[in-house]
């Protein structure tokens, strides 16, 4: 009996104990955007070159860009990345976002790996003709020149001291390699088509001449046969007449 009362008392005491506090929900880390990742790369190295476009960039792309922007004499932060894949931002959108993330003065450049199009802005003491040089560089190069060539031309235009003049005097954009190849292929196809039509016309003309000669030959042959037939008939008539005259004389 005492055992039963003991079990009952223990059960009542356990029921009166407070329930254990629920575990706090685990806080999920906020996902890091590609803009944040690029900014983190720029903190380690002011020239970031994506590894997602090996065909569009030379192996020494980062070294060439680093050497070019070092000539500017001001801090420069360069991100070469497929801009439309970065949270759907364009290069123009990425420049201020990267500057806000880094918070450092200097020239910020965002370029697409396989294109001559890029965006550049100078923050802080704006002393370089960045805008003029950017527009001039994108106008002087074919669209598929690539980021490295575009940035090198951008720096060269700034240091030339004639950025504004080169922007104003920029002519039509040079043709891209793809366009040149397409035009060359088109010319080749037109030339091949012209040769085919020339050969077809020549063959048709030769065939017509051959048919005409054959028709003339057949006509001449037919005329010759007809003449021979008439001659044979005349000869036969003469022979008959001669025989008839001989018979008359004999009578």
């Amino acid at each position: 009996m005492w055992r039963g009362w003991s079990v009952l008392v223990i059960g009542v005491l356990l029921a009166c104990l407070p329930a254990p506090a629920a575990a706090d929900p685990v806080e999920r880390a906020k996902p890091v955007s590609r803009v944040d990742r690029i900014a983190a790369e720029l903190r380690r190295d002011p020239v970031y070159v994506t590894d997602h476009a090996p065909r569009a960039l030379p192996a020494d792309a980062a070294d060439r860009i680093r050497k070019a922007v070092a000539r500017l004499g001001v801090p420069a932060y360069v991100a070469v990345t497929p801009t439309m894949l970065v949270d759907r931002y364009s290069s123009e959108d990425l420049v201020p976002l990267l500057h806000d993330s880094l918070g450092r003065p200097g020239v910020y450049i965002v370029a697409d790996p396989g294109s001559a199009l890029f965006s550049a802005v100078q923050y802080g003491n704006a002393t370089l003709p960045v805008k003029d040089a950017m527009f001039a560089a994108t106008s002087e190069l074919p669209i598929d020149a690539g980021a490295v060539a575009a940035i090198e031309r951008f720096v060269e235009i700034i240091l030339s001291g004639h950025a504004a003049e080169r922007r104003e005097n920029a002519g039509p954009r040079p043709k891209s390699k793809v366009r040149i190849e397409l035009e060359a292929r088109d010319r080749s196809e037109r030339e091949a088509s012209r040769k085919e039509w020339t050969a077809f016309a020549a063959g048709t003309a030769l065939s017509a001449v051959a048919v005409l000669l054959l028709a003339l030959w057949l006509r001449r042959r037919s005329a010759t046969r007809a003449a021979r037939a008439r001659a044979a008939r005349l000869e036969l008539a003469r022979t008959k007449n001669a025989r008839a005259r001989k018979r008359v004389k004999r009578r």
Side-chain angles (χ1 to χ4, degrees):
M1 184 175 178
W2 283 104
R3 182 177 297 176
W5 280 104
S6 299
V7 172
L8 180 60
V9 171
I10 292 173
V12 172
L13 292 175
L14 289 175
C16 294
L17 291 175
D24 294 335
V26 178
E27 294 183 0
R28 294 183 178 180
K30 183 180 179 180
V32 179
S33 68
R34 289 197 63 187
V35 175
D36 295 331
R37 287 197 292 271
I38 293 174
E41 293 289 343
L42 292 176
R43 290 188 184 93
R44 288 190 288 269
D45 186 340
V47 175
Y48 166 73
V49 176
T50 181
D51 56 358
H52 295 292
R55 295 182 179 180
L57 294 167
D60 59 346
D63 292 335
R64 287 173 58 183
I65 294 173
R66 195 176 289 108
K67 182 178 179 180
V69 296
R71 300 171 59 199
L72 294 175
V74 298
Y77 302 92
V78 182
V80 179
T81 180
T83 54
M84 296 309 296
L85 297 179
V86 185
D87 300 334
R88 298 183 180 179
Y89 292 123
S90 67
S91 59
E92 294 181 357
D93 299 325
L94 283 174
V95 169
L97 290 174
L98 292 175
H99 172 254
D100 291 344
S101 181
L102 291 176
R104 302 173 184 175
V107 176
Y108 285 72
I109 303 172
V110 175
D112 191 78
S115 171
L117 300 179
F118 65 97
S119 294
V121 178
Q122 184 177 14
Y123 294 94
N125 295 325
T127 58
L128 299 177
V130 171
K131 289 298 180 183
D132 290 334
M134 179 184 70
F135 284 107
T138 55
S139 299
E140 293 179 1
L141 294 173
I143 191 66
D144 58 352
V148 177
I151 294 172
E152 289 177 338
R153 181 65 62 88
F154 166 75
V155 173
E156 182 267 319
I157 293 173
I158 287 180
L159 298 180
S160 71
H162 302 286
E165 292 84 350
R166 291 175 69 168
R167 177 182 180 179
E168 294 175 358
N169 299 325
R173 184 192 300 276
K175 296 178 181 179
S176 65
K177 293 180 181 178
V178 174
R179 184 176 177 182
I180 292 173
E181 291 175 358
L182 290 176
E183 290 182 350
R185 182 182 301 176
D186 186 55
R187 286 194 301 270
S188 176
E189 291 177 353
R190 288 200 305 269
E191 181 65 19
S193 178
R194 187 188 64 80
K195 290 181 179 179
E196 288 178 1
W197 276 107
T198 302
F200 175 75
T204 303
L206 290 175
S207 299
V209 171
V211 171
L212 179 60
L213 292 175
L214 178 60
L216 292 174
W217 180 78
L218 291 175
R219 184 176 180 181
R220 183 177 180 182
R221 182 182 179 186
S222 178
T224 302
R225 286 182 177 180
R228 288 176 180 175
R230 285 195 302 270
R233 287 195 298 270
L234 289 174
E235 184 65 26
L236 180 61
R238 290 194 191 100
T239 302
K240 288 181 178 179
N241 290 334
R243 289 177 180 176
R245 283 195 296 269
K246 288 180 180 180
R247 290 191 190 124
V248 171
K249 289 179 179 181
R250 287 176 183 177
R251 291 178 184 177

